[in-house]
Amino acid sequence: MKRFVGVLVILTFLASVCLLSVSFSQGQSELANQHKIVARLRNDKDQDKNKDAHPGEAGKPARPGSNGISYHGGPVMLGTNHMYYIWYGNWGANTANTILTALAQNIGGSPYFNINTTYYNGSNVHVSNSVSFGGSVNTGSGVYGTSLTDAEIQSIVRDALVSGALPYDTSGIYFVLTSAEVTASSGFCTQYCGWHTYGTINGFNIKYSFVGNPDRCPSACEAQTTGPNGNAGADGMASIIAHELEETVTDPNLNAWYDTRGAENADKCAWTFGSTTATGNGSVYNMTLGGRNYLIQQNWVNASGGFCAKSF
């Protein structure tokens, strides 16, 4: 009898361990992906910044093309993609909401976003020049504070989905946009200006991005201290948002399009703007979307040998 009780205790213990292991494993799927692709600082010339950021690709052969960027077999985002904004922190009456919402509403169908149609999946289906704005939600800094870890940034996205404020959308890109008093502890302003990655949230493959307010570090993350829309922080964020959008669409799971140095399409053209036009407030712009002027970095065209451009 004692032997039976002893065996029962051991079996119960092992079952508990297994249950805890499964629960831990499932919990881990909710945590931030340790891999992220960063948008480097303005004066950072390190072309290898993202060389080790693409997981599990070391033994997989790429399909190199003749355009300076290679396909690694993963999915791209097809059809209409949806941009969602999560305004985190204290935005108050900041005009960023108007400026950046207009960007999301008008970047789809533009000659600029059309560059992404030069990218395709393993079945040769190309990305569409179609983006829509899916909506936004405002989130104060009371829960997570003003210095965010990568895990907390994903939690901000998860909270917006679980609460129903934003939908679970595998064709969506969720942008966590932070006000100037908020930083990201993994290196905003010192290592990067923004980043993108993906994670599993309640069984959905969710693509999301962090974009900080460059007013926190103008010399690192703003191309100019006066913006064409009169808001240097928001105008600087517009270019970073565009950077993260086009990279997410062409490399959503970090296993599709990037070059031998780990650079994705927007990385290859970071902080280059092509020809510009001066405005009355002393700033410059290089494209007009929805009646607003923006200074947005160029993107890599995957055709004709490959090159940076503002349109295709």
Side-chain angles (χ1 to χ4, degrees):
M1 183 65 178
K2 289 183 178 179
R3 179 178 296 177
F4 172 78
V5 171
V7 171
L8 183 60
V9 169
I10 292 172
L11 289 174
T12 301
F13 173 77
L14 291 175
S16 300
V17 169
C18 289
L19 181 60
L20 288 171
S21 298
V22 169
S23 299
F24 178 75
S25 174
Q26 290 175 340
Q28 288 289 70
S29 72
E30 297 294 326
L31 297 178
N33 193 321
Q34 63 177 320
H35 299 279
K36 60 180 182 285
I37 308 299
V38 302
R40 65 180 186 270
L41 307 176
R42 189 177 75 183
N43 295 316
D44 186 350
K45 306 302 182 184
D46 182 8
Q47 296 288 335
D48 295 326
K49 199 77 174 180
N50 290 310
K51 188 164 182 67
D52 299 319
H54 295 88
E57 296 302 308
K60 297 182 180 179
R63 305 180 194 177
S66 57
N67 298 316
I69 194 165
S70 300
Y71 178 57
H72 294 78
V76 298
M77 296 182 71
L78 303 174
T80 299
N81 294 296
H82 312 126
M83 296 176 68
Y84 298 95
Y85 287 163
I86 302 172
W87 299 92
Y88 182 87
N90 180 20
W91 286 98
N94 195 305
T95 58
N97 192 303
T98 300
I99 295 166
L100 299 181
T101 298
L103 172 71
Q105 291 171 332
N106 293 283
I107 195 168
S110 67
Y112 176 68
F113 194 79
N114 197 54
I115 293 171
N116 294 288
T117 66
T118 63
Y119 295 85
Y120 47 85
N121 66 11
S123 300
N124 203 38
V125 179
H126 286 244
V127 170
S128 300
N129 186 2
S130 183
V131 179
S132 68
F133 181 57
S136 64
V137 62
N138 293 292
T139 302
S141 58
V143 175
Y144 298 105
T146 57
S147 181
L148 302 173
T149 65
D150 289 355
E152 287 171 335
I153 290 168
Q154 179 167 312
S155 291
I156 291 167
V157 177
R158 184 179 62 228
D159 292 348
L161 301 180
V162 171
S163 69
L166 295 176
Y168 289 92
D169 185 355
T170 56
S171 294
I173 303 101
Y174 299 83
F175 293 87
V176 177
L177 309 178
T178 56
S179 51
E181 81 280 6
V182 178
T183 191
S185 60
S186 63
F188 176 52
C189 288
T190 61
Q191 299 295 320
Y192 57 76
C193 298
W195 49 259
H196 78 92
T197 188
Y198 69 100
T200 301
I201 300 179
N202 287 341
F204 293 86
N205 181 306
I206 298 297
K207 279 70 70 175
Y208 63 98
S209 170
F210 164 82
V211 177
N213 191 325
D215 273 347
R216 189 176 181 86
C217 50
S219 63
C221 293
E222 285 179 2
Q224 52 186 350
T225 54
T226 302
N229 292 290
N231 184 329
D235 282 314
M237 292 176 81
S239 185
I240 302 166
I241 289 170
H243 177 117
E244 302 303 342
L245 171 65
E246 52 212 18
E247 288 190 343
T248 302
V249 167
T250 57
D251 194 23
N253 292 343
L254 316 188
N255 60 358
W257 288 95
Y258 54 91
D259 68 13
T260 56
R261 306 177 81 167
E264 297 175 336
N265 54 2
D267 292 327
K268 294 171 73 65
C269 303
W271 301 104
T272 70
F273 300 95
S275 60
T276 61
T277 302
T279 69
N281 67 5
S283 66
V284 298
Y285 69 95
N286 63 354
M287 66 184 70
T288 301
L289 301 169
R292 284 187 174 272
N293 298 325
Y294 296 94
L295 182 66
I296 293 178
Q297 71 150 82
Q298 299 181 108
N299 192 14
W300 188 259
V301 177
N302 185 27
S304 304
F307 57 96
C308 291
K310 295 181 292 181
S311 64
F312 181 75

